[in-house]
Amino acid sequence: MSAVTVAEEDVAHDVPAASRPSWVRRLDPRTLPACLLAGLLTGIVCLLRVGEPVPWRDELATLIAAQRSFGEQLHMERNLDAVFAVYYAFMHVWTELFGISLLSLRLPSVLAMAAAGALVAQIGQELYDRRSGLLAGLIFALVPAVTRYGQEIRVYAAVVAFTLLATWLLLRAVRRPRWTRWVAYAASVVLVGAAHIFALTVLSAHAAYILFLVIAGRKVRGSSLPAWTLSVLAGVVVIAPLAYISVNQSGQVAWIPELTWDTGHNWYEQLFLAGGFGGAVVLLALLAVQRKWSATALCLGLAVLPILALAVMSIVVSPLWIMRYVLFTIPGWALLAGAAVAGLRRVPGTAAVVALALFALPMQLTVRTSAGHDDIDHQAIAAILAENVIPGDAIMYGARGRFREGIAYYLPAEQRPTDVLRTGSGVDTGRLEDPECTEAQACVDPRIVRIWVTCYGTCTAKPAGALRGPAQSLLRKRGYTVQRTWQVHRATVALYQK
């Protein structure tokens, strides 16, 4: 082979990017925006088997509220769930347009998490570089909690997206101050508070970032501290009425246990939903602390300060230690971890990402199962009833678990036993649950031969123990005995017969 031929082959295998066809250049991952790649990846991960997990009780609360008119929602929110008022209103519009299939109900959360993934990559690119942003977006997409809440009919995915939007708008306003950018930031603060009042603790991270820039004497155009303060005040004033009503409904979180060492020491496992994965991300994040101090001030603030606020409030005010309330801290850890991996050479960096994926895989698979949301398997109960109910059967629902709503979602009314204790509609009473008869003897027809009973948990020994006192005594006095029981995830179904 001649020297000329060899040279020609070398040229053929090293075609400059500029000489490639335009459609090839557009599809080259190396030239696509990091935010687009991360957003697509997060969205795809959240879409996988999105309709498989059975909705848990809080998702059923959203379903109930979404099917009520705005007026009916306001009537309910005078009593409870005012903190979710804006989300419920949005979901009402959404379900009117797209129906109540699980895909439709969960799609807003999928889209919100996809937007969050894109914002993680964009913020990482602006704070560090494109590689760091892309890796941060990849790590964010791997987090099992991102999938879990990206597949949930609740507001928490939107909270993550809105807090990241506010953070990105803050960066833009600080670097190139204009009054329009500060107005946009103030509007994002309103969005954060409207999504969930506690998410306003993200402002502590923003304050830490602004103060760092001031104390460190960084060159920032304009007077960022006064502008930031005015923007936050404007946003908080707008959201103050909703915050006031929500605080007055604090009894809704009375079920949360006190924060102790036992309930809080494994916070990273609770936050990420996988202890090994969470621990690895936290360790990687700590490696990036010294890489760029201004970025660390913001990212570490996002990761840590809201969790500290949750801990302080749980100890001083009222127990609130539920990690989904600070789900929006995950991007802070992902940003730092992405920066740490970006600083490694190719082989150890690739090994770190592969290790994270392996740590995440078991829980990523678990959250996609029918029991992935770890609550009552209403779908299995509906299947049992559909196969075994005969005309004339009645049913009594246990006081805990939203059995009535869960079974109604999966089983048509004509296939369900007669709901003998139901006396009205929660729409009229301004509650999520329908009211029940307090005098079971007067409400239940004595000619009924078979009564189904549902119970939360494993209670095959005494399924009727889940019922309120009058219903229990009715079964006993009228001579009903257990004929058969079925055990499903987190619940028991029993058939009583005279």
Side-chain angles (χ1 to χ4, degrees):
M1 183 180 292
S2 67
V4 174
T5 304
V6 173
E8 288 175 350
E9 287 186 357
D10 290 342
V11 170
H13 285 85
D14 189 22
V15 180
S19 65
R20 297 173 187 167
S22 59
W23 67 271
V24 173
R25 295 198 302 272
R26 285 196 297 268
L27 294 178
D28 189 342
R30 293 170 296 181
T31 62
L32 289 174
C35 61
L36 177 61
L37 291 171
L40 285 173
L41 176 62
T42 306
I44 291 169
V45 169
C46 289
L47 268 176
L48 292 174
R49 303 188 70 178
V50 67
E52 185 68 20
V54 174
W56 75 295
R57 71 194 75 175
D58 280 9
E59 291 184 279
L60 291 171
T62 300
L63 176 62
I64 297 166
Q67 295 179 91
R68 297 182 181 180
S69 68
F70 294 135
E72 291 166 348
Q73 286 183 359
L74 287 173
H75 178 44
M76 178 190 71
E77 287 151 6
R78 293 189 186 100
N79 301 312
L80 51 87
D81 273 2
V83 68
F84 301 117
V86 176
Y87 175 67
Y88 285 163
F90 166 79
M91 287 302 294
H92 172 71
V93 175
W94 181 271
T95 54
E96 286 290 308
L97 293 173
F98 304 109
I100 59 170
S101 69
L102 279 183
L103 174 60
S104 170
L105 289 168
R106 287 173 173 160
L107 190 56
S109 290
V110 172
L111 296 174
M113 277 304 189
L119 285 165
V120 167
Q122 183 64 30
I123 292 169
Q125 180 170 313
E126 294 189 14
L127 290 176
Y128 297 102
D129 50 47
R130 183 181 184 277
R131 176 177 167 82
S132 298
L134 191 56
L135 286 166
L138 171 59
I139 292 170
F140 178 79
L142 290 175
V143 178
V146 168
T147 296
R148 167 68 172 78
Y149 292 99
Q151 295 185 342
E152 182 169 284
I153 317 166
R154 293 299 273 177
V155 75
Y156 300 106
V159 170
V160 177
F162 289 153
T163 54
L164 284 167
L165 176 63
T167 302
W168 179 63
L169 290 173
L170 174 66
L171 286 174
R172 286 170 56 83
V174 165
R175 293 179 176 182
R176 298 189 63 183
R178 297 174 186 166
W179 70 268
T180 52
R181 291 188 172 187
W182 286 113
V183 168
Y185 174 70
S188 71
V189 172
V190 175
L191 281 176
V192 170
H196 201 280
I197 293 301
F198 193 82
L200 289 173
T201 55
V202 74
L203 298 176
S204 61
H206 295 177
Y209 179 62
I210 294 291
L211 289 174
F212 174 85
L213 295 179
V214 172
I215 294 171
R218 298 299 176 100
K219 185 178 180 181
V220 180
R221 295 182 183 179
S223 185
S224 294
L225 183 57
W228 176 81
T229 304
L230 289 174
S231 299
V232 168
L233 287 175
V236 170
V237 165
V238 172
I239 208 67
L242 179 61
Y244 176 77
I245 297 171
S246 300
V247 169
N248 285 336
Q249 294 178 356
S250 58
Q252 286 186 256
V253 294
W255 57 271
I256 300 176
E258 292 185 1
L259 175 59
T260 63
W261 173 257
D262 290 335
T263 58
H265 75 279
N266 62 336
W267 62 270
Y268 55 92
E269 182 176 357
Q270 298 172 40
L271 179 63
F272 293 94
L273 295 187
F277 179 91
V281 168
V282 170
L283 288 175
L284 282 172
L286 295 178
L287 294 177
V289 166
Q290 296 185 14
R291 180 174 172 186
K292 187 178 180 182
W293 287 110
S294 60
T296 297
L298 179 59
C299 297
L300 198 60
L302 289 171
V304 172
L305 293 181
I307 296 178
L308 290 179
L310 185 70
V312 171
M313 292 181 68
S314 296
I315 295 170
V316 176
V317 182
S318 176
L320 291 169
W321 191 255
I322 298 294
M323 282 291 103
R324 62 177 175 269
Y325 295 166
V326 288
L327 190 72
F328 58 91
T329 61
I330 289 176
W333 296 109
L335 286 163
L336 288 168
V341 175
L344 300 175
R345 294 184 180 274
R346 178 171 296 182
V347 172
T350 301
V353 172
V354 170
L356 287 176
L358 291 175
F359 278 131
L361 183 60
M363 186 53 70
Q364 282 283 1
L365 296 175
T366 297
V367 297
R368 288 176 167 81
T369 63
S370 61
H373 292 183
D374 198 25
D375 204 2
I376 296 169
D377 191 344
H378 295 105
Q379 187 176 30
I381 297 175
I384 291 168
L385 294 175
E387 184 177 350
N388 295 280
V389 165
I390 62 175
D393 282 4
I395 192 166
M396 295 179 178
Y397 296 109
R400 180 186 177 193
R402 293 214 168 94
F403 285 100
R404 179 178 285 110
E405 297 81 5
I407 293 171
Y409 182 75
Y410 285 105
L411 195 63
E414 62 272 13
Q415 293 183 264
R416 299 196 296 268
T418 302
D419 190 350
V420 289
L421 295 181
R422 181 178 181 272
T423 59
S425 170
V427 173
D428 300 325
T429 60
R431 296 286 174 178
L432 285 168
E433 297 83 6
D434 293 334
E436 289 190 350
C437 177
T438 55
E439 298 294 333
Q441 294 283 350
C443 296
V444 181
D445 190 333
R447 293 172 295 180
I448 295 174
V449 176
R450 305 199 325 167
I451 297 179
W452 294 83
V453 173
T454 63
C455 173
Y456 183 86
T458 302
C459 38
T460 51
K462 189 182 178 183
L467 301 175
R468 293 179 175 86
Q472 290 186 45
S473 62
L474 177 142
L475 292 174
R476 185 177 62 255
K477 290 177 180 179
R478 293 189 181 176
Y480 289 95
T481 57
V482 177
Q483 298 300 303
R484 185 179 175 184
T485 60
W486 292 261
Q487 190 70 44
V488 302
H489 187 76
R490 294 282 186 183
T492 302
V493 183
L495 175 60
Y496 280 76
Q497 187 171 342
K498 282 186 178 180

